[in-house]
Amino acid sequence: DLERGLLVQLRQFLIELGVGFEPELTLEENIIYYGVLLGHAEALVRASVDEILQFAELAEVRDAPTKTLSSGMGARLGFAIATQWRPDILLLDEVLAVGDERFRRKCAARLERFWDAHSTIVLVSHDMNYILRTCERVVWIDHGAVHFDGPSAEGVERYLATIPSGAGFERGEQL
């Protein structure tokens, strides 16, 4: 049913961005709230709270109001909730830019379980190496215009061809 599908997509979009975390609620309360909003049974979500907090590396502040989190911590929590269960559609906007290298690798490893025919992943990223390793298709959008839509290797190559050499930037000619 189209309406249910759009609602699932909207719910997934909201959790991905961490939009609407209730600032006065604790992390645990927000996890339950968003897990249920994503359509999961409350009992399942409650049973997953510890695992979500451990993944987000926020277990020690589980009872703190969400408003006390930094933006990076909020992004980690949103990512942990959104990837706890297999989504139909997963929207990721520079999610691997959050946190230190160890946490980025942990996120990439977690995403590996979704790179199959059962989930659609829309990844917004400037990490060309990650795009080449994980994506089959690239849509390059610049200032609202689609510049390329096709195989990842070709899209990355075309994008990189538009970047001036380092020497041009060093002289400030491209600024």
Side-chain angles (χ1 to χ4, degrees), residues 17-74:
L17 297 175
V19 170
F21 274 146
E22 294 296 327
E24 299 298 328
L25 294 180
T26 67
L27 276 61
E28 182 173 355
E29 291 166 334
N30 267 305
I31 291 169
I32 295 165
Y33 176 73
Y34 272 95
V36 171
L37 181 65
L38 288 171
H40 303 293
E42 184 176 340
L44 173 67
V45 177
R46 286 185 183 279
S48 302
V49 167
D50 289 337
E51 189 176 344
I52 291 168
L53 287 168
Q54 287 297 326
F55 182 86
E57 301 174 2
L58 297 169
E60 68 281 356
V61 293
R62 77 182 300 132
D63 296 321
T66 306
K67 68 181 179 183
T68 63
L69 297 180
S70 68
S71 60
M73 293 167 128

Side-chain angles (χ1 to χ4, degrees), residues 15-18 21 27 31 51-61 69-84 94-100 102-104 106-107 110:
I15 191 65
E16 274 311 300
L17 297 175
F21 274 146
L27 276 61
I31 291 169
E51 189 176 344
I52 291 168
L53 287 168
Q54 287 297 326
F55 182 86
E57 301 174 2
L58 297 169
E60 68 281 356
V61 293
L69 297 180
S70 68
S71 60
M73 293 167 128
R76 289 195 333 237
L77 182 61
F79 179 83
I81 296 168
T83 59
Q84 179 66 23
E94 294 290 358
V95 70
L96 298 177
V98 175
D100 59 19
R102 189 189 60 72
F103 190 78
R104 284 193 295 272
K106 187 164 104 170
C107 290
R110 192 169 212 188

Side-chain angles (χ1 to χ4, degrees), residues 9 12 86-92 111 114-123 137:
Q9 290 177 32
Q12 192 62 44
R86 177 181 293 281
D88 294 326
I89 300 171
L90 185 61
L91 303 173
L92 301 171
L111 286 176
F114 301 134
W115 291 113
D116 61 25
H118 304 292
S119 292
T120 298
I121 300 173
V122 178
L123 174 69
R137 177 179 166 206

